[in-house]
Amino acid sequence: MNTKESIIKLAKETITLESESIKNLTALLDNDFPDTVELIYKSKGRVIITGIGKSAIIATKIVATLNSTGTPAVFMHAADAIHGDLGLILEDDVVICISKSGNTPEIKVLVPLIKNAKNKMIAITGNKDSFLGQQADFVLNAFVQKEACPNNLAPTTSTTAQLVIGDALAVCLLELRGFSSKDFAKYHPGGALGKKLYLRVHDLSSVNNKPQVAPDTNVKQVIIQISESMLGVTAVVENNNIVGIITDGDLRRMLTKVDDFSKLTARDIMSNNPKRIAEDAMAVDAMEIMENNGISQLLVEHDGKYAGVVHIHNLIKEGIL
């Protein structure tokens, strides 16, 4: 296979096969799924998720998703568990074992140890009749007909199925806990997603200059104010109230219309009723206004009075745009 067409064809076949396998998971859901969700929701402990090989990698992702959506979770590698890490499991913890076959040597050693400790155990497996499937308190069926690998060997479709089941668990638990956007921001304070949920306009505008001129300010001083602010804009302010805005674009349009602008004032070239936003508004709202109106700056107000400027570059720097 060395042509672009054959590569695209194989890629499409892979995506189609995996998507169809994921769709088939809906038919495999039974009462063990809501029982598992209820068990975890009511548990006073954590969720310990374990696996071997590729299933271990999927386990780490599910752990991360649960932790970020309000369900405390810990990853425990199945091989390490039988060499000391079994001590991670506390009395009230719920254990999830992930294994496609459910019959790997490590799982066969680990499962009885978990059972002896009397922790509740959930299996995510493609074989309900396996050793793991028979020993688990609840089984979440991750059966797939075929791996996307042409040799039907490399875990591809099966690990995607495991991942989707983990996502379904996390979303159901999130809903039960009433996990809100504020909660999400609390767990993601450093990420772009979190910033969209907690960063406010004032957090951005406060680091900028606060360019402003009076309506009767001459054009030369307007140009100086815009240049010094390095924001490409100045507010036109009277009694602390915004009466207009002048942008770099306004200056360029002025130059194309008049030969002598020495007697012009800010009032002559300003745009009336500029777009503005309250400083306690969310930064993501500022982004939406800019995108919808095709502008790069917004004037900021505090209690109806001029308070500064937020620029699209502020949003880009914070990763919001």
Side-chain angles (χ1 to χ4, degrees), residues 172-202:
C172 291
L173 288 164
L174 178 156
E175 186 70 20
L176 277 177
R177 297 185 194 284
F179 195 83
S180 67
S181 59
K182 290 183 178 179
D183 295 317
F184 189 88
K186 182 174 68 175
Y187 290 124
H188 298 75
L193 290 174
K195 287 180 180 180
K196 288 184 179 181
L197 297 170
Y198 78 81
L199 204 63
R200 297 189 179 275
V201 169
H202 173 72

Side-chain angles (χ1 to χ4, degrees), residues 15 47 180 184 251 265 292 308:
I15 294 169
V47 180
S180 67
F184 189 88
L251 293 176
T265 65
N292 290 342

Side-chain angles (χ1 to χ4, degrees), residues 25 34 73 78 94 125 133 137 148 171 191 197 202 222 251 273 293:
L25 289 178
V94 175
T125 181
D137 295 290
V171 170
L197 297 170
H202 173 72
V222 170
L251 293 176
N273 301 315
N293 292 277

Side-chain angles (χ1 to χ4, degrees), residues 284-303:
V284 69
D285 294 332
M287 176 187 70
E288 184 176 355
I289 293 173
M290 290 186 199
E291 288 184 332
N292 290 342
N293 292 277
I295 55 179
S296 301
Q297 311 98 339
L298 273 177
L299 300 185
V300 180
E301 291 182 320
H302 173 69
D303 292 336

Side-chain angles (χ1 to χ4, degrees), residues 115-131:
K115 296 287 287 184
N116 288 339
K118 301 190 184 307
N119 291 87
K120 290 292 185 180
M121 184 172 60
I122 297 107
I124 298 179
T125 181
N127 184 2
K128 293 188 70 173
D129 296 324
S130 64
F131 178 82

Side-chain angles (χ1 to χ4, degrees), residues 90-250:
L90 304 179
E91 182 179 353
D92 293 324
D93 290 342
V94 175
V95 181
I96 297 178
C97 290
I98 306 177
S99 173
K100 177 188 176 182
S101 71
N103 289 314
T104 59
E106 293 85 359
I107 292 296
K108 286 187 174 181
V109 174
L110 177 60
V111 166
L113 299 175
I114 296 171
K115 296 287 287 184
N116 288 339
K118 301 190 184 307
N119 291 87
K120 290 292 185 180
M121 184 172 60
I122 297 107
I124 298 179
T125 181
N127 184 2
K128 293 188 70 173
D129 296 324
S130 64
F131 178 82
L132 174 60
Q134 293 296 317
Q135 295 295 315
D137 295 290
F138 302 108
V139 179
L140 307 183
N141 196 343
F143 173 77
V144 296
Q145 192 72 41
K146 185 179 183 299
E147 297 287 6
C149 165
N151 299 316
N152 196 28
L153 294 174
T156 45
T157 311
S158 59
T159 48
T160 303
Q162 294 166 355
L163 187 63
V164 169
I165 288 175
D167 285 343
L169 278 176
V171 170
C172 291
L173 288 164
L174 178 156
E175 186 70 20
L176 277 177
R177 297 185 194 284
F179 195 83
S180 67
S181 59
K182 290 183 178 179
D183 295 317
F184 189 88
K186 182 174 68 175
Y187 290 124
H188 298 75
L193 290 174
K195 287 180 180 180
K196 288 184 179 181
L197 297 170
Y198 78 81
L199 204 63
R200 297 189 179 275
V201 169
H202 173 72
D203 300 322
L204 304 178
S205 63
S206 61
V207 303
N208 293 334
N209 291 315
K210 186 183 173 183
Q212 63 183 83
V213 295
D216 59 355
T217 302
N218 65 59
V219 170
K220 180 179 179 180
Q221 291 302 314
V222 170
I223 295 173
I224 292 173
Q225 182 68 199
I226 292 177
S227 298
E228 289 180 347
S229 73
M230 294 184 293
L231 294 170
V233 67
T234 185
V236 183
V237 179
E238 192 170 33
N239 297 323
N240 288 327
N241 294 313
I242 298 170
V243 296
I245 189 173
I246 301 174
T247 67
D248 284 337
D250 293 322

